Amino acid sequence: MTYWVEEEEKKVHGKVYIIKDRCKQCGFCIEFCPQGVLQQSEEFNAKGYHPPKLVETDEKKCVGCGFCQMICPDFAIFVEKEEENEERD
Amino acid sequence: MEIEARANPMDKYLRADRIPHIWCSGCGLGIVLNAFLHAIEELNIDLDKLAVVSGIGCTGRIAGYINTDSYHTTHGRAIPFATGLKLANPEMKVVVISGDGDLFAIGGNHFIHAARRNIDITVIGVNNYNYGMTGGQLGPTTPLGARTTTSPYGNIEHPFNLCHVAHAAGAVYVARWTVLHAIRLKNSIKEALNKRGFSFIEVIAACPTTYGRRNKMPDALDEMRFYREHSVIKHGIDPSQANIEIGKEIVVGKFVDIEKPTFNEAVEELKKKVKKK
Amino acid sequence: MKKEIRFWNGSIAVSEGAIVAGCRFFAGYPITPASDIAEYMALRLPQEDGIFIQMEDEIASIAALLGASWGGAKVMTSTSGPGFSLMQENVGLAAVTETPLVIAEVQRAGPSTGMPTLVGQGDVMQSRWGSHGDYETIVISPSSPQESFDLVIRAFNLAELYRVPVIFLMDECIAHMSERVVIPPKEEIEVVERIKPNVSPEKYMPFQPVNDIAPMATAGMGYRVHVTGLTHNEKGYPMTTSPEVQEWMVRHICDKIRKNEHKIRDIEEYRMEDAEIAIVAFGIVGRSAKAAVKMARRHRIKAGLIRLKTIWPFPESYFESMADSIKKFIVAEINYGQIKLEVERAVHGKASVELLPKFGGAVHQPMEIYQKIKEVKNGN
Ligand SMILES: Cc1ncc(C[n+]2csc(CCOP(=O)(O)OP(=O)(O)O)c2C)c(N)n1
Ligand code: SF4
Ligand code: SF4
Ligand code: SF4
Ligand SMILES: [Mg+2]
């Protein structure tokens, strides 16, 4: 099944923001990111959870689909889309 | 690329001074709230003209987090409260968000009658198969055989199929999603909010703490994976064919979308007819 | 505008009074002997641009009242004992969320399903203590169709003024008896409107009293209020483990009524100027008690009547000072002793208080009360 709706095909990237102290380490964003952009960090937040962090290999892997933001129960992660051509000029 | 210390853009729809919310790690309720707020945003609904009403339970706490007129009522009574609010103030968009126990056990009578009257409200019922708030007791949607604190040997009661109940009672819009279908859920909420009359969305949500733990899904992630592997979208299916059973596929989708005059419209018509000069 | 004369029963009078007071929302569930009010409101409210809805039960009815009141409407329901019992959880919600609403409670003989068509006055304590925890209500009791009209307007005014549920405690006799009702010219009727906030939403504290009462921002006014039955602070936010907030909130919802008891108080005194024996009565019994006082006076017994038009908050200090001169109180009520307990408590042993109960779903005959007066007089 498809559990996210794909945006139209365009070279877009996302900028991921993580509000670490809100994270409760459910792992949803990591598990369900279609690009495998996220992983659990070693670091502890104020509540003692490990917030996610980005997998460092590919900077532009995030396609800005926003699914991590939709699936996060704790308003701890959100994404801003940036379009490829915008970045070039 | 990853930047912190910026406010989540959804915070403007939240009573941000009350976040973090009380819900457990992995609890599906945050996703329901998030999907609802995204729907509000995309529809550009004026928060001053939106009222959210909840009953009592973990789900019942949703109202208190939304930055709008919000009413946390008594157990089971969100729907009649919303009925009064909508009738007295028809300009408001009125949404009830509450739990399976609240809406279908103690408040079950109100649900069917509001649907029958076609009161112009949207009801989002979060089905986590149990009473989360009070420690995981059996509820009207607990699947046959499931273990809860009051069915320690396995549930011997037949559960409600909420969408079937809603359909039979007369709801004009009926859909079911799991919290994994966050985007479809959001789209469905948008449709329901735009619908005239009594619309109902059932959201299957993980309650790892009191339900999952006793039913071999202690980790919410396992439950989410189960949704991924076992839910099938069947739009337009007769909701009576969409029972929920342990370990079986979960049928999701939009089941009902019909037109019918609402109670509010009927009242306005009546008033015009009998009004004293 | 001139005054108008009508021949109405108490049910019609209370309904018309409610409409004059501004009631535009009624939700109810049929029950004898209160159904006449619902039926009449079903007829009248749509004509007045109001809404009538018959709910699926009394719990739904009062919940709808709360919702409609927060929607900005003046609201009423009618019921009798069994239905009033079902409403109690939400009476508490109304008290704690300071929601104005009026419940016309037409008492029948209880307990339980009791004697549905016969009169009773057994819901006095229930109308004060029916819900759990500490809270206050205002309870008003009419003795005639005229008072059903006049006092229900006051019931609405007090509900709005104090943001409190008001119980309009009628009885089967008053609801069903027809009498002349004088409707004063509109401009002579005082109608109180809800106090709304006049500060910006950022500065507004929904449960912070200003002169005892917090201005009320209802749905759609842009104040985005959170309303909860959980213990909450002046912002309306749940504070479920704070002893300070619980004390503040409970004191507030009680004290706003207790402190103003003397302003809410409404008592009719009849032949009390030189009375030595006082009958205490309310509702339909107030009428036979008055006849009994007349009989006693014809026999040169110095009896008088204290008729309570407001029952709760109980006029404690009134009775305490009355007990300086009156040494004998007789409380006549259609129950097995409810107001009697309050009078006894209020007089602090300075006077004797005797109960004249009534059973069987009937009203005391004047002669019965007169006999009791004689008995008490001869007892000294
Ligand atoms: C009249 C009344 N009875 C019982 C309760 C206790 N109670 C609080 S929440 C709840 C069940 C909630 O279950 P559900 O609606 O499924 O919500 P969840 O916590 O699962 O989200 C119960 C029984 C109550 N608050 N009021
Ligand atoms: S926006 Fe999409 S691709 Fe980017 S991290 Fe989130 S889920 Fe992954
Ligand atoms: S979904 Fe949210 S709470 Fe869960 S791990 Fe990711 S950031 Fe943390
Ligand atoms: S008990 Fe269950 S429903 Fe309640 S917050 Fe925890 S996970 Fe969610
Ligand atoms: Mg539940």
Side-chain angles (χ1 to χ4, degrees):
Chain A
M1 57 159 274
T2 329
Y3 49 87
W4 68 90
V5 176
E6 279 176 46
E7 300 287 333
E8 72 180 280
E9 280 293 320
K10 222 188 198 175
K11 264 277 172 216
V12 283
H13 293 298
K15 200 169 186 177
V16 181
Y17 296 83
I18 297 162
I19 305 169
K20 291 180 189 164
D21 279 340
R22 283 188 179 181
C23 174
K24 290 182 191 158
Q25 202 190 317
C26 67
F28 296 171
C29 57
I30 299 166
E31 171 88 7
F32 298 108
C33 166
Q35 298 294 107
V37 174
L38 300 160
Q39 65 181 29
Q40 200 177 89
S41 69
E42 300 289 292
E43 136 187 36
F44 287 102
N45 70 10
K47 284 181 286 211
Y49 293 115
H50 298 294
K53 66 173 186 188
L54 294 165
V55 177
E56 274 124 46
T57 49
D58 186 356
E59 276 276 292
K60 300 269 185 224
K61 245 175 107 184
C62 168
V63 294
C65 70
F67 196 69
C68 53
Q69 172 172 359
M70 286 303 292
I71 208 78
C72 173
D74 287 274
F75 300 91
I77 186 166
F78 62 98
V79 185
E80 267 174 11
K81 248 187 236 178
E82 32 190 42
E83 282 186 18
E84 186 97 306
N85 42 9
E86 268 179 11
E87 268 194 353
R88 282 200 196 107
D89 35 61
Chain B
M1 179 168 167
E2 150 206 357
I3 304 173
E4 230 200 313
R6 259 201 51 189
N8 187 319
M10 297 323 278
D11 280 8
K12 60 177 174 291
Y13 301 104
L14 290 167
R15 297 184 191 276
D17 51 347
R18 300 203 59 221
I19 303 294
H21 52 60
I22 62 161
W23 300 313
C24 309
S25 166
C27 173
L29 287 165
I31 303 176
V32 179
L33 172 57
N34 193 15
F36 179 70
L37 299 181
H38 275 92
I40 297 301
E41 173 163 80
E42 289 178 22
L43 289 177
N44 210 1
I45 288 178
D46 181 358
L47 285 180
D48 289 343
K49 297 292 168 200
L50 172 72
V52 179
V53 186
S54 284
I56 302 294
C58 293
T59 316
R61 293 301 186 96
I62 278 194
Y65 294 122
I66 305 175
N67 187 15
T68 185
D69 286 314
S70 54
Y71 304 94
H72 182 224
T73 62
T74 43
H75 193 25
R77 317 306 167 194
I79 287 178
F81 186 105
T83 298
L85 182 56
K86 179 66 187 180
L87 292 175
N89 201 335
E91 275 180 26
M92 301 298 289
K93 213 166 244 315
V94 180
V95 182
V96 170
I97 310 180
S98 222
D100 49 279
D102 188 81
L103 291 171
F104 292 93
I106 192 165
N109 201 30
H110 308 312
F111 182 92
I112 57 175
H113 287 283
R116 171 180 66 78
R117 294 183 185 108
N118 202 19
I119 302 287
D120 193 7
I121 57 176
T122 295
V123 177
I124 300 173
V126 180
N127 181 2
N128 55 16
Y129 303 143
N130 82 131
Y131 289 3
M133 176 63 94
T134 43
Q137 294 84 2
L138 152 93
T141 59
T142 305
L144 207 56
R147 282 178 199 275
T148 69
T149 51
T150 48
S151 58
Y153 306 110
N155 180 22
I156 55 174
E157 293 185 20
H158 298 279
F160 267 149
N161 166 345
L162 301 184
C163 290
H164 187 200
V165 171
H167 176 49
V172 294
Y173 182 99
V174 179
R176 176 193 288 154
W177 299 104
T178 78
V179 285
L180 182 65
H181 300 83
I183 293 172
R184 293 182 194 273
L185 169 63
K186 174 216 43 176
N187 291 337
S188 192
I189 295 174
K190 283 165 69 179
E191 278 185 5
L193 290 173
N194 279 335
K195 190 82 194 167
R196 286 178 315 108
F198 189 90
S199 49
F200 173 65
I201 300 173
E202 173 182 5
V203 191
I204 310 286
C207 167
T209 307
T210 65
Y211 183 81
R213 190 155 61 87
R214 296 185 177 88
N215 291 281
K216 301 183 187 129
M217 296 267 192
D219 190 344
L221 200 48
D222 293 333
E223 179 131 1
M224 294 290 264
R225 289 187 186 120
F226 183 87
Y227 300 156
R228 177 172 58 192
E229 279 133 39
H230 296 271
S231 39
V232 281
I233 299 175
K234 292 186 184 171
H235 291 304
I237 192 183
D238 177 349
S240 69
Q241 302 306 303
N243 285 346
I244 292 176
E245 289 168 56
I246 285 185
K248 300 266 173 66
E249 69 174 25
I250 302 174
V251 178
V252 296
K254 178 167 82 175
F255 305 140
V256 178
D257 192 350
I258 57 169
E259 297 294 325
K260 207 161 80 175
T262 68
F263 184 87
N264 302 62
E265 290 160 353
V267 163
E268 287 313 312
E269 228 162 86
L270 172 68
K271 284 204 257 180
K272 258 188 243 142
K273 210 161 67 190
V274 301
K275 192 159 183 176
K276 283 213 161 150
K277 269 100 243 146
Chain C
M1 284 268 273
K2 278 201 341 227
K3 68 176 188 192
E4 291 173 38
I5 312 280
R6 295 278 186 276
F7 191 69
W8 277 343
N9 65 28
S11 303
I12 297 179
V14 74
S15 306
E16 290 289 352
I19 291 168
V20 169
C23 174
R24 290 297 177 273
F25 185 91
F26 184 102
Y29 189 80
I31 185 167
T32 303
S35 300
D36 304 23
I37 299 175
E39 289 167 7
Y40 191 78
M41 286 303 245
L43 195 71
R44 284 286 286 120
L45 271 181
Q47 299 175 336
E48 300 290 339
D49 203 21
I51 286 167
F52 169 89
I53 184 170
Q54 181 173 315
M55 298 299 287
E56 51 276 16
D57 58 32
E58 288 85 352
I59 306 176
S61 302
I62 187 168
L65 248 53
L66 274 142
S69 189
W70 280 100
K74 289 188 181 178
V75 300
M76 183 170 88
T77 185
S78 64
T79 192
S80 188
F84 192 40
S85 294
L86 284 182
M87 289 182 183
Q88 291 303 333
E89 186 189 15
N90 283 300
V91 168
L93 182 65
V96 99
T97 56
E98 306 190 64
T99 308
L101 55 86
V102 176
I103 301 170
E105 214 268 60
V106 186
Q107 295 172 97
R108 65 193 217 183
S112 190
T113 313
M115 303 164 107
T117 59
L118 301 182
V119 70
Q121 290 186 324
D123 307 345
V124 173
M125 288 298 180
Q126 183 187 26
S127 61
R128 166 69 185 83
W129 300 106
S131 201
H132 52 284
D134 293 303
Y135 69 105
E136 292 275 344
T137 56
I138 293 175
V139 179
I140 298 179
S141 183
S143 269
S144 62
Q146 179 71 58
E147 280 188 355
S148 299
F149 180 86
D150 296 338
L151 294 185
V152 81
I153 298 173
R154 182 155 196 258
F156 273 92
N157 289 348
L158 292 173
E160 294 295 334
L161 188 64
Y162 291 105
R163 290 187 60 178
V164 68
V166 175
I167 289 94
F168 198 64
L169 199 60
M170 303 174 71
D171 53 57
E172 183 274 332
C173 294
I174 301 298
H176 288 158
M177 74 190 313
S178 294
E179 270 181 350
R180 204 173 99 111
V181 176
V182 181
I183 306 171
K186 229 187 175 125
E187 57 277 9
E188 281 174 28
I189 298 176
E190 196 204 356
V191 172
V192 173
E193 298 303 335
R194 201 170 286 185
I195 302 167
K196 294 179 179 146
N198 58 6
V199 296
S200 63
E202 299 73 47
K203 293 216 181 86
Y204 178 57
M205 287 286 177
F207 294 93
Q208 179 68 61
V210 180
N211 306 323
D212 290 349
I213 311 300
M216 183 170 172
T218 50
M221 285 173 60
Y223 286 87
R224 302 185 188 176
V225 172
H226 182 56
V227 176
T228 177
L230 289 170
T231 297
H232 49 262
N233 62 15
E234 62 282 355
K235 212 171 170 188
Y237 284 8
M239 302 290 282
T240 53
T241 53
S242 161
E244 295 80 22
V245 171
Q246 202 265 352
E247 177 170 353
W248 167 81
M249 191 196 76
V250 169
R251 281 187 187 275
H252 168 62
I253 62 168
C254 292
D255 290 350
K256 69 179 179 183
I257 304 301
R258 292 183 189 181
K259 250 172 56 184
N260 291 303
E261 184 276 312
H262 59 287
K263 290 191 203 156
I264 297 165
R265 181 190 300 175
D266 189 2
I267 294 170
E268 186 202 1
E269 291 183 355
Y270 175 70
R271 303 300 303 265
M272 284 300 294
E273 55 300 333
D274 61 343
E276 288 163 1
I277 298 173
I279 315 291
V280 181
F282 65 97
I284 185 65
V285 184
R287 300 168 73 117
S288 29
K290 191 179 261 183
V293 168
K294 285 180 185 162
M295 284 181 185
R297 287 284 173 171
R298 277 201 294 276
H299 291 91
R300 302 218 162 72
I301 302 174
K302 288 185 173 171
L305 167 67
I306 294 170
R307 183 167 69 86
L308 301 176
K309 295 199 252 176
T310 53
I311 296 177
W312 301 106
F314 195 75
E316 249 177 270
S317 58
Y318 168 84
F319 278 100
E320 188 174 8
S321 61
M322 286 309 266
D324 290 336
S325 48
I326 311 280
K327 296 298 162 201
K328 292 181 166 150
F329 291 87
I330 299 167
V331 182
E333 49 187 336
I334 310 173
N335 59 45
Y336 201 12
Q338 297 195 17
I339 290 288
K340 185 250 182 187
L341 300 172
E342 286 303 298
V343 177
E344 205 164 46
R345 198 169 58 78
V347 301
H348 289 299
K350 289 195 282 183
S352 73
V353 181
E354 291 216 20
L355 172 68
L356 182 60
K358 186 75 189 172
F359 299 92
V363 186
H364 303 74
Q365 296 294 320
M367 185 55 89
E368 293 172 57
I369 302 176
Y370 169 61
Q371 292 294 354
K372 183 74 183 177
I373 294 171
K374 276 206 308 196
E375 202 183 288
V376 166
K377 173 159 172 64
N378 296 336
N380 60 359

